[in-house]
DNA sequence: TCAGTGATTAGG
DNA sequence: CTAATCACTGAG
């Protein structure tokens, strides 16, 4: 097993997002126990022109991290209750991120952060150097197909972007 | 179907 | 300061 390095994340989000499927999300807890989860569902949010992307409204304290180099973590609270886990992609000044919507065992972006104890303290974490959260290559055979659908919960994004097939889900062969 | 919940943001 | 907006979930 090897940790994914910077070059994996500094590509366009539409390449990184489907590539994350089947990879392993690794979480080391405060008691030093380690758990690993297969990534099963993601969504891509792509730059200032994508009206569903938080960064499309410009740089704010919340979206700041998306303007940094790929490999960093973007975490924010939604509906007053749920932390959303995202990975920043592509180069500096190209605000893009992948939302992790599902992992094996916990389907749903709010459920997985609750179970992995991920909150705002992970904002800005670097997946390349962090000692509590990173991604590893899977040695499991890639026995799945990738299904694409429109993204969830972004009706406000306008016809063009809300219909983009930027949600990627693993499906058994 | 629909309420709960609070950070974030733009606008006075 | 105020009010609107939300990459959701679970109960009924």
């Amino acid at each position: 097993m090897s940790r994914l390095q910077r070059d994996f994340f500094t590509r366009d989000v539409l390449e990184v997002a489907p590539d994350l499927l089947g990879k392993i999300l690794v979480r080391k807890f405060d008691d030093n126990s380690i758990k690993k989860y297969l990534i099963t569902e993601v969504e891509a949010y792509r730059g200032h022109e994508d009206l569903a992307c938080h960064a499309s409204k410009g740089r704010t304290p919340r979206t700041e991290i998306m303007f940094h180099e790929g490999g960093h973590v973007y975490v924010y609270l939604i509906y007053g209750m749920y932390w959303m886990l995202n990975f920043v992609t592509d180069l500096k000044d190209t605000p893009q991120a992948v939302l992790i919507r599902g992992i094996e065992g916990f389907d749903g972006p709010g459920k997985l952060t609750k179970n992995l104890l991920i909150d705002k303290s992970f904002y800005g974490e670097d997946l390349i150097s962090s000692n509590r959260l990173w991604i590893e290559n899977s040695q499991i055979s890639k026995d799945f197909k990738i299904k694409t659908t429109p993204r969830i919960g972004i009706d406000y994004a306008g016809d063009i972007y809300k219909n983009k097939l930027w949600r990627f889900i693993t499906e058994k062969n």
Side-chain angles (χ1 to χ4, degrees), chain A residues 14-173:
Chain A
L14 295 179
E15 292 182 38
V16 177
D19 248 17
L20 277 170
L21 296 177
K23 297 286 192 293
I24 306 295
L25 177 64
V26 185
R27 170 80 168 100
K28 184 174 180 183
F29 295 92
D30 288 344
D31 65 357
N32 283 336
S33 66
I34 289 182
K35 287 196 176 149
K36 305 191 175 190
Y37 309 87
L38 198 66
I39 297 173
T40 58
E41 181 179 345
V42 300
E43 279 179 5
Y45 289 86
R46 189 167 186 271
H48 63 274
E49 77 277 8
D50 175 8
L51 298 180
C53 182
H54 291 161
S56 67
K57 298 193 193 84
R59 198 189 278 235
T60 69
R62 186 177 64 156
T63 61
E64 170 68 24
I65 196 67
M66 277 202 272
F67 290 81
H68 290 224
E69 192 175 37
H72 294 270
V73 175
Y74 171 40
V75 174
Y76 68 93
L77 189 71
I78 191 67
Y79 303 124
M81 286 179 225
Y82 302 103
W83 296 103
M84 299 286 106
L85 174 63
N86 302 249
F87 303 146
V88 176
T89 70
D90 214 331
L91 303 173
K92 192 168 167 289
D93 296 322
T94 54
Q96 305 182 346
V98 180
L99 168 67
I100 307 303
R101 289 193 62 90
I103 55 180
E104 200 167 53
F106 303 114
D107 226 22
K111 283 192 234 174
L112 79 87
T113 52
K114 185 180 169 192
N115 281 279
L116 300 204
L117 304 180
I118 286 170
D119 60 18
K120 182 149 190 149
S121 74
F122 282 81
Y123 183 95
E125 193 96 356
D126 186 0
L127 293 170
I128 283 73
S129 60
S130 173
N131 63 359
R132 52 183 188 158
L133 188 69
W134 64 91
I135 313 295
E136 286 181 357
N137 252 311
S138 172
Q139 46 191 347
I140 303 167
S141 68
K142 302 238 169 163
D143 189 24
F144 60 83
K145 285 186 290 196
I146 295 177
K147 179 184 173 186
T148 59
T149 80
R151 293 170 290 176
I152 304 296
I154 53 151
D155 285 347
Y156 61 88
D159 287 342
I160 295 177
Y161 282 97
K162 84 177 178 196
N163 292 320
K164 294 277 188 193
L165 300 176
W166 287 354
R167 179 176 177 227
F168 304 91
I169 312 170
T170 58
E171 224 178 29
K172 288 198 171 167
N173 274 324

Side-chain angles (χ1 to χ4, degrees), chain A residues 4-11 69-72 126-128:
Chain A
L4 296 185
Q5 297 300 309
R6 184 73 66 202
D7 58 352
F8 178 88
F9 298 99
T10 51
R11 296 177 293 148
E69 192 175 37
H72 294 270
D126 186 0
L127 293 170
I128 283 73

